[in-house]
Amino acid sequence: MSIPDPPSADRLSAASKRPSGPGSTFNSSATTPAATYAALRGSKDALPAARAAGEELNKALGGVVDQVTRENALALGRAVRYAAEQGHTLFADLGGGIPIQRSDSWGLPDLYAVASGVQPGLRWLLVDSDELAILYGRALVGRNPDVHVEWEDLRQPAKVLHLLDLHLGVKQKIVCVLGAVLHFMTDRQAATLVSALYEHLVPGSLIFATHVTRTGLPPEMAERGKEVYERLNGVEIHLRTEEEITAMAGPFEIKPPGVVRTIDFMPPQEGPAPEEAPHFLMWMAERLPDETGAQPPAERSV
Ligand SMILES: C[S@@+](CC[C@H](N)C(=O)[O-])C[C@H]1O[C@@H](n2cnc3c(N)ncnc32)[C@H](O)[C@@H]1O
């Protein structure tokens, strides 16, 4: 599919009649992680509350948030391109967020557009618990039978697994993208999701995860960022250390390049990125066959 036209008012209205999440939580005067993130990427349809949140976050953190968002989008784009080049055709973008439409303010397209540019005919499932993400996603997708946009809460893994089976097929190799979403979950919720995926996915399946980190951040900056983000978005965010983020891969085998800054994940150019570059942390992990015996996380080198 080529990148679709932005949704018209008619398509948005039609999409709004399709079922999304239980009840209506949409409130245009408040923002959400999905809306704030889309505003940071420069979505032209961002609501004023989301734009204001992005600006306030950048102000509080000296512009770092824009840079981190860009690096996250770049790194995830490199990840799905890599997976598509390896022949993967089934993708689940879990906590996929609001589609940007064509490209963001840095010229970076949505992940679906990146992967389908490499591997035509792939199947894509976007799951999110944000109503606006579902509304936009469904309006953009239109009648494309290869792309599915579903409301679900990742804290209900059994329901997510059902969606994988329904839209991507049973016992298929799947690439799961967990972009900047695990940090909205407690340790227990994230571990439950990851181990459910491990039990469900067949060997050769991949997970890519990006995660906000406190490692490398001055503590007062980390705390200020957390406080401002939570106040503006009305959610709890978990700033984890590199060690904690590494452990979140659970039984999956972390593959090269290991747990790295997004800026260092399959960088297009040789040469080290600046030490002080702001970043999320990122890993790519594979579901190995059971008999291979993945090392427990504590023994794995970072
Ligand atoms: C910061 S955005 C990242 C969007 C996209 N994954 C990316 O990295 O470009 C986080 C997304 O995760 C979604 N999210 C957070 N908690 C979730 C949950 N429990 N279930 C499903 N989606 C969730 C939010 O609604 C939002 O769209």
Side-chain angles (χ1 to χ4, degrees):
M1 181 178 84
S2 59
I3 305 172
D5 288 332
S8 64
D10 282 356
R11 288 175 82 192
L12 274 175
S13 153
S16 70
K17 296 195 179 82
R18 292 173 219 158
S20 58
S24 176
T25 55
F26 181 64
N27 172 1
S28 65
S29 65
T31 191
T32 62
T36 302
Y37 188 81
L40 285 165
R41 287 191 69 187
S43 167
K44 62 178 178 43
D45 295 324
L47 295 170
R51 275 190 217 284
E55 281 162 20
E56 190 171 340
L57 270 168
N58 264 313
K59 204 164 139 200
L61 297 173
V64 157
V65 181
D66 266 346
Q67 181 65 19
V68 167
T69 305
R70 179 172 176 275
E71 288 303 337
N72 184 60
L74 264 171
L76 290 174
R78 295 197 288 259
V80 297
R81 175 182 300 280
Y82 166 82
E85 284 170 355
Q86 299 302 305
H88 284 277
T89 55
L90 304 175
F91 289 76
D93 194 359
L94 304 178
I98 298 177
I100 296 303
Q101 305 168 30
R102 298 195 186 283
S103 60
D104 64 14
S105 48
W106 302 295
L108 302 171
D110 284 312
L111 297 183
Y112 174 76
V114 176
S116 60
V118 176
Q119 186 74 262
L122 51 78
R123 300 228 303 273
W124 193 274
L125 167 66
L126 184 148
V127 178
D128 205 285
S129 59
D130 186 285
E131 288 199 349
L132 203 58
I134 302 310
L135 201 64
Y136 260 87
R138 288 185 176 169
L140 280 168
V141 161
R143 293 182 190 280
N144 185 334
D146 294 329
V147 183
H148 301 273
V149 177
E150 293 280 13
W151 186 95
E152 195 47 78
D153 188 331
L154 301 184
R155 293 169 298 184
Q156 303 285 331
K159 296 184 176 174
V160 175
L161 300 183
H162 171 70
L163 292 174
L164 297 183
D165 283 352
L166 186 66
H167 295 303
L168 302 179
V170 179
K171 297 204 182 304
Q172 302 293 321
K173 260 194 238 175
I174 294 175
V175 177
C176 294
V177 180
L178 288 166
V181 63
L182 290 176
H183 46 233
F184 297 112
M185 301 170 82
T186 63
D187 290 348
R188 192 188 176 98
Q189 289 162 349
T192 303
L193 173 66
V194 170
S195 71
L197 287 171
Y198 186 83
E199 291 305 323
H200 191 77
L201 294 174
V202 302
S205 297
L206 296 176
I207 298 189
F208 294 99
T210 61
H211 197 299
V212 65
T213 184
R214 58 171 72 250
T215 296
L217 271 190
E220 66 284 0
M221 191 176 188
E223 288 318 312
R224 189 165 68 249
K226 177 174 162 63
E227 184 275 310
V228 175
Y229 191 91
E230 291 181 343
R231 174 168 51 77
L232 292 169
N233 292 279
V235 293
E236 193 177 358
I237 188 162
H238 301 269
L239 271 58
R240 295 188 168 95
T241 63
E242 180 170 344
E243 195 179 20
E244 290 166 336
I245 293 168
T246 304
M248 291 177 96
F252 286 87
E253 176 84 358
I254 293 182
K255 307 303 286 182
V259 181
V260 293
R261 304 181 301 173
T262 43
I263 203 168
D264 297 322
F265 187 82
M266 301 181 178
Q269 284 134 15
E270 291 302 316
E275 271 308 309
E276 72 283 4
H279 58 277
F280 287 167
L281 286 177
M282 174 158 191
W283 45 253
M284 165 173 67
E286 183 175 346
R287 191 349 175 155
L288 295 180
D290 287 327
E291 57 275 18
T292 309
Q295 293 175 24
E299 291 170 24
R300 196 185 284 129
S301 62
V302 178

